[in-house]
């Protein structure tokens, strides 16, 4: 049985319907949603509770040689214990999903995302002697599927870990929509590197919300790689609740034919002596559209904040677009903050130099674009994940 | 080796080269001198195949092939090398990857096996030592953060790696101090064999103290107006360009 979003919401109970009705629908009238028309999502009929099978072979084929210490598998938002590998340092429980931070700009999509709160999965990562790599693999199946997933990950105090979340769609997942949320709570003294990868069917869409809460003396590094999809949006927010909380955000957008890829980041400095380093690169090809909107907010009390934000884009065709919106909002008076944004074309002089050394235009372009994204990609400590991402970006580059 | 017949070339409809004739044999070093705007750099760009220049008339044959039919990268793989007046910075592309791509392209074009990674790195080390290019620079992106002299040395290093049949040095001496000039010139002299040839483009006679030419041409207003031996360069240094352009 299929539902429109409104029918689904009505079935979730009066309080959900009430919350839904009170909020705006994403539209071009909203500053944060103005670059894409979402109307169709609200008119479509979705498969919400249809059960699909997924094979272990498919799951393992998606990891493409990425090693892990723990693997947590989800299918259309449901946790699949039988395909997961839960090690001793990891504790998983079902728990109602509650946003760790109340966003000021909620839309009806946030209600759709949390309407089925029973999907919430709580993951606790305990301190262990080694640096553990936890992979969250989420598979979307079925045509016109609407699925939601919500994870809250607690990184215990003084724990170091790397987390890679991969969301992929099966070949049958055409015109599907995934609303996903991952909350990361970094307890005092923890160091966490989280990578978010979404690789979807060219007709499917995703909104991925990443919220990071950092207590004192933590380092959270977020790598955002929305690799493919008709509409692929990542909303990433970080809230620093303790001093000396450092946030690094790296990401690459590469919208190609008929793709619309968005990355919105909001970093909130509420306490003193915290740092943010944000570096986003964009490549646009054919009629691909990209959006980078990044806010660094420094509250009045957040003295001694150091923050840097950079967004550099290359457009490879006259019809490609990347909208760049770097923003600093500073209320403290003893801070060091900077931001910069550039958008240009591929460097013709460099191509010529390489051609004059015998390198053909195609290979020269490949080298130049790989070089362009390299400094962002190289910040990732896990080389297998880096290679996974690079192979997908290289496929896009090779088609130029 | 290289035969240029009545070469005319233009950029944006403006004719720069107005009938160049030049014949270079294996083992020769030709110097091309001339005042600013005479077309020296245009000639080197046209030989290397820069597409912004349009060849409107004339012929260029290189080792029996029609050079004008070949793309810039094909010309490079055929053995033409141009050392740039202003070597370009390529952020994000390491010297090693760049050189590896160039060597592999050449071998692929010629249908030969590229060197093994060990052989390749050994050759890099040898040639780097030959032109005095500091080790630390090869770990960096191509020309990024290099001084003017280091960029020029880097071009000569690339020339040593690619072992061209015909090398065109486009004002390689500009921006070089006397020590760097000597190192670059030493590199060129070491690479000289009876089978390869050089076209050295320069404003000044200074470089020709180190790289001794067999033939000196004076280019003025898109034409070679005088050809002589190395004494022509000395005479030019003494009397200035006016001597020849007004005579």
């Amino acid at each position: 049985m299929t539902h429109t979003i409104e029918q689904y919401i009505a079935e979730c109970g009066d309080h959900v319907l009430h919350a839904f009705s009170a909020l705006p629908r994403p539209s071009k009238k909203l500053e944060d949603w103005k670059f894409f028309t979402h109307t169709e999502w609200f008119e479509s009929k979705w498969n919400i509770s249809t059960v699909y099978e997924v094979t272990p072979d498919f799951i393992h084929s998606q990891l493409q040689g990425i090693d892990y210490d723990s693997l947590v598998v989800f299918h259309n938002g449901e946790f699949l214990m039988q395909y997961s590998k839960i090690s001793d340092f990891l504790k998983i429980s079902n728990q109602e999903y509650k946003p760790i931070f109340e966003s000021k700009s909620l839309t009806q999509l946030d209600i759709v995302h949390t309407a089925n709160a029973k999907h919430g999965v709580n993951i606790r990562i305990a301190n262990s002697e080694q640096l553990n790599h936890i992979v969250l693999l989420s598979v979307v199946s079925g045509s016109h599927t609407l699925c939601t997933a919500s994870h809250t990950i607690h990184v215990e105090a003084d724990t170091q870990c790397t987390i890679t979340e991969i969301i992929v769609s099966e070949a049958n997942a055409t015109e599907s929509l995934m609303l996903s949320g991952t909350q990361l709570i970094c307890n005092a003294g923890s160091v966490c590197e989280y990578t978010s990868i979404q690789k979807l069917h060219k007709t499917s869409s995703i909104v991925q919300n990443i919220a990071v809460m950092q207590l004192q003396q933590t380092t959270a590094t977020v790598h955002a790689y929305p690799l493919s999809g008709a509409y692929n949006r990542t909303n990433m927010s970080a809230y620093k609740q303790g001093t000396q909380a450092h946030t690094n955000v790296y990401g690459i957008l590469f919208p190609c034919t008929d793709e619309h890829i968005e990355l919105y980041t909001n970093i909130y400095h509420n306490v003193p002596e915290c740092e943010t380093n944000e570096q986003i690169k964009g490549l646009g090809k054919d009629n691909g559209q990209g959006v980078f909107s990044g806010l660094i907010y420094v509250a009045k009390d957040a003295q001694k904040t150091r923050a840097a934000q950079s967004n550099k884009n290359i457009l490879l065709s006259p019809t490609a677009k990347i909208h760049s919106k770097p923003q600093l909002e500073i209320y403290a008076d003893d801070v060091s903050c900077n931001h910069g944004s550039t958008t240009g074309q591929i460097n013709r002089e460099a191509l010529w130099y390489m051609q004059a050394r015998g390198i053909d235009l195609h290979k020269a372009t490949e080298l130049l674009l790989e070089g362009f994204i390299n400094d962002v990609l190289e910040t990732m400590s896990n080389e297998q994940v880096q290679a996974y991402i690079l192979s997908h970006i290289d496929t896009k580059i090779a088609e130029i | 080796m290289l035969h240029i017949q009545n070469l005319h070339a233009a950029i944006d409809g403006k004719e720069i080269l107005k009938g160049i004739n030049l014949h270079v044999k294996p083992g020769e070093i030709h110097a091309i001198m001339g005042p600013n705007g005479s077309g020296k750099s245009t000639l080197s760009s046209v030989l290397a195949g820069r597409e912004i220049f349009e060849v409107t008339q004339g012929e260029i044959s290189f080792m029996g092939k029609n050079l004008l039919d070949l793309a810039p990268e094909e010309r490079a793989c055929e053995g033409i090398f141009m050392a740039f007046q202003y070597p370009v910075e390529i952020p994000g592309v390491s010297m090693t990857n760049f050189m590896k791509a160039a060597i592999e392209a050449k071998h692929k074009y010629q249908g030969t096996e590229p060197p093994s990674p060990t052989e390749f790195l050994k050759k890099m080390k040898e040639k780097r030592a030959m032109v005095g290019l500091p080790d630390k620079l090869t770990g960096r992106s191509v020309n990024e953060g290099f001084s003017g002299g280091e960029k020029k040395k880097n071009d000569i290093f690339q020339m040593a790696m690619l072992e061209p049949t015909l090398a065109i040095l486009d004002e390689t001496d500009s921006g070089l101090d006397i020590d760097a000039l000597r190192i670059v010139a030493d590199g060129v002299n070491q690479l000289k064999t009876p089978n390869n040839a050089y076209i050295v483009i320069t404003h000044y006679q200074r470089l020709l103290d180190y790289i001794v030419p067999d033939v000196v041409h004076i280019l003025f207003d898109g034409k070679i107006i005088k050809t002589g031996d190395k004494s022509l360069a000395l005479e030019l240094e003494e009397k200035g360009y006016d001597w020849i352009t007004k005579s």
Side-chain angles (χ1 to χ4, degrees), chain A residues 347-350 352-361 363 367-368 370-372 374, chain B residues 48-50 72-73 76-77 81-82 84 88 90 92-93 98 101-102 105 143 155 158:
Chain A
N347 184 344
R348 300 267 158 212
E349 289 294 317
W352 158 236
Y353 190 70
M354 287 196 266
Q355 277 185 289
R357 297 295 174 257
I359 303 167
D360 68 48
L361 208 49
K363 178 73 186 170
L367 280 173
L368 212 54
E370 280 180 13
F372 175 67
N374 231 354
Chain B
R50 181 130 216 210
E73 61 270 23
C77 293
F81 180 93
M82 183 177 93
F84 279 54
V88 182
I90 315 178
V93 179
F98 169 73
N143 291 327
D155 259 23
Q158 292 167 33

Side-chain angles (χ1 to χ4, degrees), chain A residues 125-128 130-134 155-162 189-193:
Chain A
I125 303 170
N127 197 353
S128 72
Q130 62 171 28
L131 172 73
N132 287 308
H133 182 212
I134 299 106
V155 181
E156 288 190 352
D158 301 319
T159 301
Q160 292 200 20
C161 61
T162 56
S190 61
V191 177
C192 178
E193 187 174 346

